[in-house]
C-alpha cells in the first residue's frame, strides 16, 4: 500500500463515528460505543443515587470502612512476582465487565468525566472542597460553610428580591455594622512614647514624664497630635445593654440571686460587696457591678511593641456567661491599711495616693483581686516547673550560694535527674489520648518544648501532672508532702463553691508549703529567690476570697483568649497601635450585635442536626436533668441483637445484675427487653461521650469516654455501701423496668484493678488489664457492667504511670480526691 493510500485509510477510520441508539452521543470507534452502552444497562449508579450519596457523605474525607495500610510498601509483601505461578483461571477485579460477544479487549473511556458529567451544584461542591484543602480549612469550619451556602441556596428567591443583594466582604460588613451600631470609639491625644493619655481638658504642650512634644513640630500641623488612640466608653456600652430588653434581663442576675448561708459561690457573697450594700450602693436593681483588669502582651517573642488590654467583666451576668527583684518570705506580713492608699506612705514605697481611692467602692487591699491565670497558672505553675527542671535548664538561681560563691547542688530539695524528666515528658505525651476535652489544656510535653505554653496548660500541669507524675520522683517525703499541699491548696482556690471550713483547709495547705520553703532557706539548701511575689500572694488568697468571692467568678480566661486572637491579628498589621484599637472596636461591634440579636435565627440557618426533641431524650420529673443525646440506635432487642459490637445477651445479663445489685431483685424478670441506645450523655453541664460515639464520628484525638462512678452494693450485713470504680462507657441507653419506670443507664467496661498511689493515698490508680493476662498469654475477657447515669461522679482522664504501660493515674477536672482512695476502692466482685 502506498503511503498516500495508507494516510487516506487512517483518515477514514478516524472520521468514522458510531451513534448510541439510546442517546445523542457519538463515538469514534465501536468499542467505545459498547463501553458506553453499559451505562444504559445499569452498570453504574443513577444520578439520583449519586446525589443521595453526596448528601449522606457528611465528612467527605475518607472511607471509614477502609482498613488497608496505605504505608505498606511492595517490598514488604510476602510474595513477589518471581515467586508466583501464573494461573489463567484466577479472576481479578477490574473496572469493566466482559461479555462473551466482546472478546477480552477493552478500551478505557476517559469521556466519563467531561464538561457534561457534573451538575453546576456538584461542580461548586467540588470546587469548594478543593478550596478547603488548598487553604487547610478545619473540618468543623467546612461543615459550617456548607450549611451557610445551603441556606443561601434555599432562600435564593427571597434574597434576590432585596435591592443590591450579595454577600459582602469583611470590610463591608464592618462598615455596615458600624453604621447601624452606636458603639463608637473616642479619639484621645497620647504621648508618642506611650507615657500618658491627655484628657479632654489637659492643656499641656509636652509630656511631663519624657518631655516629648504633644503635637507635631511641623508648623503646618501645629495642632495635630504626634500620636493618638481611640477608646470606647464602658458607660456607653453598659447603657446600651440596659436599653435592650433582652440584655437587660440578663443583667438582672445580681438583683435576683439569693445567697446560701455558709457558702461562697459568687463575688456577691464576699464581704466587700456586702459592705457596699450596707453603705447604700447597689440599691437599684439596674445597678451594674463591674471589674476592670489590665494585661500586657507582645505580638512576637522578641517584639519591640507592647500592648495593654483593659478587660471588663460584668458581674451582673451569670458566672456561666462571664467565662467565655523583691523577696517576700514573711507569711505573717500585714496588708497595707486603707490610709496608705489614700494619702501614701513613703516608708512602704507608696509615694502618692492611688487613683482608685477616688472610687466610692474602694475598700483597700482587698479591692485588688487575685487572678487565677496569672497568680496560680502562669505564676505558681511556672514556678514549680522552674524549681524541678534545674537539671534540664541549667538554671542556678534557686541553689543556695555559699559565702565563697560555690553552689550547694547536692542538697537541693527539688532535684530530679534529667533522665527522669525525659521519662515524665514521655508519659505526658502517651497520656494525651486518654485526656477528655473537659481539661482545657493541651497536655503537651512541656519538658520538650515550652514555647507557646498557655496559662491553662500551666494550670493543668500544676493540678494534674505534678501530683501524679512529678511528685514520685522527688528525693524525699518532706518535699513530696509540701508540694502536694501546694497543689491541693491551689485546687481548693479554684472551686465553684467554698465554705469557711474549706477556706481554713486551704490556708493550712499554703502555710505548710510556705513553711517548708522557709525551713529549706534556713537550712541553706535553697536560695531566697524562691520567695517571689506570686509565692507571697498565696497566703492572701483565703482572705481575698472572703472579701471578693471566688477566684473563678472573676477569672480573666476570656481575656486570655482575646489576647491570643489579637496577637495573631496584629502580626498581620503594619500600623501598630492604630490597627490594634481598630481591632478592639471591631470586636466590640460584632460582640454587641451578636448579643442584641441571634444572627443564625434571623437568617434561619440550615443545621444538619437541629437541637429539637428528636435529638435528645430526657426523663419526666427527673431532678438531675440528665439527657441522652444522639446519635440513637432505636429499639434494640437484648434477646438476640448485637448492641454496638456486644452481644445482646451479655448486655441483658449485666442489666439483670444491675437490678439485683440496686433493688435486691432475685428473679429473672427485669422489664422490657427492647432498649433505646444513645451515644452521648449530658448531665451537670458536661457532655459524656462513649465508644459508640467515637466509632461513629471517628473521634480519636481525646478520651471523652472515661468515667468514675460509685457502685452501691449490699455488704454482708445487708448495708448499702459505695465504692469507686473507673470504666470506659460503651454506650448509654434507656430501659423500662419491671414496674414500667424508665431509667437512663450506661453499659461500661470496668477497669480490672483499682487502688491508690503509694506516694499519696488521695491519688487513684487503675489497671486496664489484670497482671495474669500477660502471664497466661491470652486476652482476658472484658468485664462489662450496667450502671445508672446518676452514679457517674466524674468524667476523668488517665495519666500514664511511668513503670507500667498498663497502669494509669486518674484525674478529674478541678476536683480534689482528698479522701483515702485505697479505703473506698471497688473491685469487680461487687458488680
Amino acid at each position: 500500500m502506498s503511503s498516500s493510500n495508507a494516510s487516506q485509510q487512517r483518515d477514514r477510520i478516524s472520521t468514522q463515528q458510531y451513534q448510541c441508539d439510546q442517546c445523542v452521543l457519538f463515538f469514534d470507534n465501536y468499542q467505545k460505543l459498547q463501553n458506553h452502552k453499559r451505562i444504559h444497562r445499569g452498570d453504574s449508579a443513577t444520578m439520583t443515587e449519586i446525589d443521595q450519596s453526596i448528601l449522606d457523605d457528611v465528612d467527605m474525607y475518607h472511607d471509614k470502612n477502609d482498613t488497608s495500610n496505605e504505608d505498606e510498601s511492595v517490598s514488604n509483601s510476602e510474595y513477589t512476582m518471581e515467586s508466583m505461578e501464573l494461573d489463567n483461571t484466577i479472576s481479578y477485579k477490574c473496572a469493566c465487565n466482559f461479555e462473551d460477544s466482546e472478546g477480552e479487549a477493552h478500551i478505557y473511556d476517559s469521556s466519563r468525566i467531561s464538561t457534561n458529567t457534573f451538575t453546576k451544584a456538584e461542580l461548586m461542591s467540588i470546587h469548594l472542597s478543593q478550596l478547603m484543602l488548598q487553604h487547610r480549612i478545619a473540618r468543623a469550619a467546612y461543615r459550617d460553610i456548607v450549611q451557610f451556602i445551603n441556606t443561601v441556596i434555599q432562600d435564593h428567591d427571597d434574597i434576590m428580591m432585596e435591592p443590591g443583594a450579595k454577600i459582602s466582604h469583611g470590610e463591608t460588613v464592618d462598615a455596615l455594622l458600624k453604621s447601624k451600631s452606636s458603639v463608637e470609639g473616642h479619639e484621645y491625644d497620647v504621648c508618642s512614647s506611650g507615657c500618658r493619655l491627655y484628657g479632654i481638658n489637659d492643656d499641656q504642650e509636652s509630656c511631663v514624664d519624657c518631655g516629648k512634644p504633644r503635637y507635631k513640630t511641623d508648623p503646618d500641623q501645629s495642632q495635630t497630635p504626634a500620636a493618638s488612640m481611640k477608646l470606647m466608653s464602658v458607660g456607653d456600652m453598659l447603657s446600651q445593654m440596659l436599653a435592650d430588653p433582652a440584655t437587660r434581663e440578663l443583667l438582672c442576675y445580681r438583683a435576683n440571686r439569693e445567697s446560701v448561708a455558709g457558702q461562697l459561690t459568687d463575688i456577691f457573697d464576699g464581704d466587700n460587696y456586702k459592705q457596699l450594700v450596707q453603705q447604700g450602693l447597689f440599691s437599684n436593681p439596674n445597678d451594674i457591678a463591674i471589674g476592670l483588669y489590665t494585661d500586657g502582651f507582645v505580638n512576637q517573642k522578641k517584639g519591640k511593641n507592647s500592648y495593654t488590654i483593659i478587660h471588663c467583666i460584668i458581674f451582673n451576668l451569670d458566672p456561666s456567661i462571664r467565662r467565655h527583684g523583691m523577696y517576700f518570705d514573711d507569711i505573717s506580713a500585714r496588708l497595707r491599711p486603707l490610709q496608705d492608699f489614700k494619702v501614701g506612705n513613703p516608708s512602704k514605697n507608696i509615694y502618692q495616693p492611688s487613683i482608685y481611692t477616688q472610687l466610692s467602692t474602694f475598700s483597700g487591699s482587698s479591692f485588688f483581686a487575685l487572678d487565677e491565670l496569672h497568680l496560680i497558672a502562669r505564676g505558681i505553675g511556672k514556678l514549680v516547673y522552674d524549681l524541678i527542671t534545674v537539671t534540664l535548664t541549667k538554671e542556678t538561681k534557686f541553689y543556695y550560694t555559699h559565702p565563697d560563691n560555690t553552689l550547694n547542688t547536692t542538697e537541693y530539695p527539688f532535684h530530679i535527674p534529667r533522665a527522669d524528666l525525659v521519662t515524665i515528658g514521655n508519659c505526658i505525651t502517651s497520656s494525651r489520648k486518654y485526656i477528655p476535652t473537659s481539661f482545657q489544656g493541651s497536655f503537651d510535653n512541656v519538658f520538650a518544648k515550652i514555647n507557646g505554653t498557655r496559662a491553662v496548660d500551666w494550670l493543668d500541669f500544676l493540678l494534674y501532672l505534678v501530683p501524679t507524675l512529678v511528685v514520685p520522683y522527688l528525693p524525699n517525703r518532706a518535699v513530696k508532702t509540701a508540694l502536694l499541699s501546694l497543689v491541693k491548696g491551689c485546687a481548693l482556690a479554684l472551686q465553684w463553691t467554698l465554705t469557711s471550713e474549706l477556706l481554713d483547709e486551704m490556708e493550712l495547705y499554703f502555710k505548710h508549703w510556705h513553711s517548708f520553703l522557709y525551713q529549706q532557706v534556713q537550712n541553706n539548701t535553697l536560695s531566697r529567690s524562691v520567695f517571689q511575689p506570686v509565692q507571697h500572694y498565696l497566703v492572701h488568697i483565703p482572705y481575698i476570697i472572703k472579701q471578693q468571692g471566688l477566684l473563678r467568678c472573676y477569672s480573666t480566661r476570656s481575656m486570655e483568649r482575646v489576647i491570643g486572637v489579637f496577637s495573631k491579628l496584629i502580626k498581620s498589621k503594619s500600623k501598630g497601635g492604630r490597627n490594634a484599637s481598630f481591632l478592639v472596636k471591631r470586636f466590640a461591634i460584632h460582640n454587641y450585635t451578636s448579643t442584641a440579636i441571634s444572627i443564625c435565627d434571623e437568617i434561619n440557618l440550615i443545621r444538619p442536626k437541629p437541637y429539637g426533641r428528636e435529638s435528645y431524650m430526657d426523663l419526666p420529673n427527673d431532678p438531675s436533668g440528665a439527657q441522652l443525646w444522639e446519635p440513637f440506635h432505636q429499639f434494640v432487642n437484648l434477646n438476640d441483637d448485637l448492641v454496638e459490637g456486644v452481644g445482646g445477651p451479655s448486655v441483658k445479663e449485666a442489666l439483670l445484675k444491675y437490678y439485683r445489685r440496686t433493688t435486691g431483685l432475685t428473679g429473672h424478670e427485669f422489664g422490657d427487653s427492647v432498649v433505646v441506645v444513645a451515644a452521648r450523655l449530658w448531665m451537670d453541664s458536661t457532655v459524656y461521650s462513649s465508644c459508640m460515639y467515637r466509632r461513629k464520628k471517628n473521634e480519636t484525638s481525646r478520651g471523652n469516654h472515661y468515667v468514675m462512678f460509685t457502685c452501691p452494693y449490699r455488704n454482708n450485713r445487708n448495708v448499702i455501701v459505695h465504692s469507686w470504680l473507673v470504666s470506659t462507657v460503651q454506650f448509654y441507653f434507656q430501659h423500662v423496668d419491671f414496674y414500667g419506670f424508665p431509667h437512663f443507664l450506661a453499659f461500661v467496661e470496668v477497669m480490672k484493678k483499682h487502688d491508690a498511689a503509694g506516694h499519696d493515698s488521695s491519688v487513684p490508680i487503675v489497671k486496664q488489664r489484670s497482671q495474669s493476662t500477660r502471664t497466661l498469654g491470652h486476652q482476658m475477657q472484658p468485664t462489662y457492667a450496667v450502671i445508672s447515669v446518676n452514679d457517674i461522679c466524674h468524667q476523668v482522664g488517665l495519666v500514664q504511670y511511668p513503670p507500667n504501660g498498663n497502669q494509669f493515674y486518674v484525674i478529674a477536672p478541678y476536683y480534689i480526691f482528698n479522701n483515702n482512695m485505697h479505703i473506698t476502692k471497688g473491685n469487680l466482685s461487687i458488680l
Side-chain angles (χ1 to χ4, degrees), residues 453-670:
T453 304
R454 304 168 300 162
V456 290
D457 298 324
W458 286 122
L459 203 58
D460 284 353
F461 169 78
L462 175 67
L463 298 183
Y464 312 117
L465 298 179
V466 168
T468 55
L469 293 178
V470 173
V471 169
Y473 285 97
L474 292 173
N476 58 68
R477 185 155 189 83
V479 65
K480 290 179 181 179
T481 55
L483 187 52
L484 286 171
S485 290
L486 171 66
V487 172
K488 291 178 181 179
C490 292
L492 276 175
L494 297 174
Q495 298 304 298
W496 277 107
T497 301
L498 286 174
T499 62
S500 58
E501 292 79 12
L502 290 176
L503 287 174
D504 292 340
E505 184 179 346
M506 182 200 312
E507 190 170 12
L508 289 176
Y509 283 137
F510 288 145
K511 284 184 176 179
H512 178 204
W513 165 251
H514 200 106
S515 298
F516 171 80
L517 295 181
Y518 185 79
Q519 188 62 47
Q520 296 299 312
V521 171
Q522 293 297 311
N523 294 341
N524 296 337
T525 60
L526 190 64
S527 167
R528 290 182 69 243
S529 62
V530 71
F531 292 114
Q532 298 179 3
V534 291
Q535 165 64 31
H536 172 76
Y537 287 141
L538 283 178
V539 298
H540 296 309
I541 289 180
Y543 169 75
I544 292 296
I545 290 179
K546 289 178 183 177
Q547 299 299 118
Q548 289 277 40
L550 305 175
L551 301 186
R552 296 287 299 277
C553 291
Y554 51 83
S555 171
T556 59
R557 291 192 180 214
S558 56
M559 180 164 66
E560 187 82 3
R561 291 188 288 268
V562 170
I563 288 176
V565 173
F566 281 170
S567 297
K568 293 179 181 179
L569 292 176
I570 292 174
K571 285 181 182 179
S572 63
K573 303 296 181 180
S574 59
K575 296 183 180 180
R578 183 172 295 273
N579 275 306
S581 60
F582 164 75
L583 290 172
V584 173
K585 181 179 177 181
R586 178 185 178 190
F587 270 85
I589 294 175
H590 276 270
N591 288 338
Y592 176 75
T593 304
S594 299
T595 304
I597 60 174
S598 172
I599 303 295
C600 294
D601 291 342
E602 290 293 322
I603 66 175
N604 192 23
L605 182 67
I606 292 178
R607 297 181 176 92
K609 297 176 180 178
Y611 188 74
R613 288 296 305 176
E614 69 278 4
S615 64
Y616 71 94
M617 300 167 58
D618 56 9
L619 293 176
N621 304 319
D622 180 21
S624 71
Q627 297 177 352
L628 297 185
W629 282 10
E630 63 177 356
F632 296 117
H633 188 171
Q634 299 282 357
F635 309 122
V636 178
N637 194 317
L638 300 182
N639 290 323
D640 50 19
D641 287 349
L642 194 68
V643 188
E644 292 300 319
V646 181
S650 297
V651 180
K652 185 176 180 180
E653 180 183 1
L655 182 59
L656 183 59
K657 288 182 178 179
Y658 164 75
Y659 284 119
R660 288 175 179 172
R661 186 173 68 244
T662 56
T663 66
L665 178 69
T666 58
H668 296 280
E669 294 297 331
F670 60 88

Side-chain angles (χ1 to χ4, degrees), residues 161-426:
M161 294 180 65
E162 301 173 354
K166 65 178 181 179
I167 303 298
S168 302
H169 288 283
E171 294 81 359
T172 306
V173 173
D174 291 339
L176 172 65
L177 293 177
K178 181 180 178 181
S179 66
K180 302 295 183 181
S181 171
S182 57
V183 176
E184 186 59 50
H186 306 282
E187 191 162 345
Y188 293 85
D189 296 351
V190 296
C191 172
S192 58
S193 297
C195 300
R196 61 176 51 244
L197 177 145
Y198 296 100
I200 299 176
N201 299 320
D202 289 344
D203 56 2
Q204 294 100 329
E205 294 287 334
S206 61
C207 177
V208 297
D209 296 308
C210 68
K212 287 189 176 181
R214 175 178 179 177
Y215 302 104
K216 293 184 177 181
T217 55
D218 188 343
D220 296 333
Q221 297 178 312
S222 59
Q223 293 301 309
T224 302
S228 63
M229 68 179 299
K230 283 189 175 182
L231 296 178
M232 289 177 293
S233 169
V234 175
D236 286 348
M237 302 191 71
L238 295 179
S239 299
Q240 292 176 18
M241 295 181 70
L242 282 173
D244 187 280
T247 51
R248 183 169 64 247
E249 184 177 356
L250 295 176
L251 294 173
C252 292
Y253 163 78
R254 179 193 63 82
N256 295 337
R257 77 178 296 274
E258 296 181 1
S259 296
V260 179
Q263 287 189 358
L264 292 170
T265 60
D266 204 346
I267 192 172
F268 303 114
D269 296 322
D271 291 341
N272 280 4
Y273 173 76
K274 293 178 181 178
Q275 291 173 5
L276 294 175
V277 173
Q278 292 176 357
Q279 296 171 13
L281 299 177
F282 297 103
S283 58
N284 190 313
N286 289 329
D287 287 341
I288 300 176
I290 65 172
L292 294 177
Y293 305 88
T294 64
D295 194 11
F297 66 99
V298 294
N299 65 326
Q300 296 178 3
K301 294 178 182 178
K302 297 183 180 180
K304 296 181 179 180
N305 296 328
S306 62
Y307 301 88
T308 299
I309 185 170
I310 301 176
H311 188 60
C312 176
I313 294 182
I314 303 175
F315 296 125
N316 277 45
L317 297 173
D318 187 278
S320 62
I321 303 175
R322 298 175 209 162
R323 309 193 279 273
H324 279 293
M326 294 178 63
Y327 304 133
F328 303 88
D329 54 3
D330 184 4
I331 64 174
S332 61
R334 297 178 59 187
L335 292 171
R336 291 170 178 169
L338 182 62
Q339 194 68 10
D340 285 359
F341 293 101
K342 288 188 174 182
V343 300
N345 187 341
S347 65
K348 296 182 180 180
N349 297 323
I350 305 177
Y351 296 101
Q352 59 184 358
S354 170
I355 62 171
Y356 296 109
T357 59
Q358 303 173 25
L359 299 173
S360 59
T361 57
F362 186 77
S363 57
S365 297
S366 62
F367 178 84
F368 302 98
L370 299 176
D371 175 52
E372 57 157 342
L373 293 188
H374 290 78
L375 171 56
I376 298 180
R378 290 193 183 277
I380 297 301
K382 182 59 165 55
L383 174 62
V384 171
Y385 176 87
D386 291 339
L387 286 172
I388 66 172
T389 56
V390 291
T391 59
L392 197 66
T393 62
K394 306 301 181 182
E395 179 61 66
T396 61
K397 67 179 179 181
F398 296 119
Y399 290 127
Y400 172 75
T401 304
H402 293 291
D404 61 356
N405 289 328
T406 59
L407 300 176
N408 182 1
T409 60
T410 58
E411 298 178 288
Y412 182 66
F414 298 99
H415 176 80
I416 297 179
R418 183 185 182 94
D420 291 339
L421 293 175
V422 173
T423 299
I424 296 173
N426 292 336

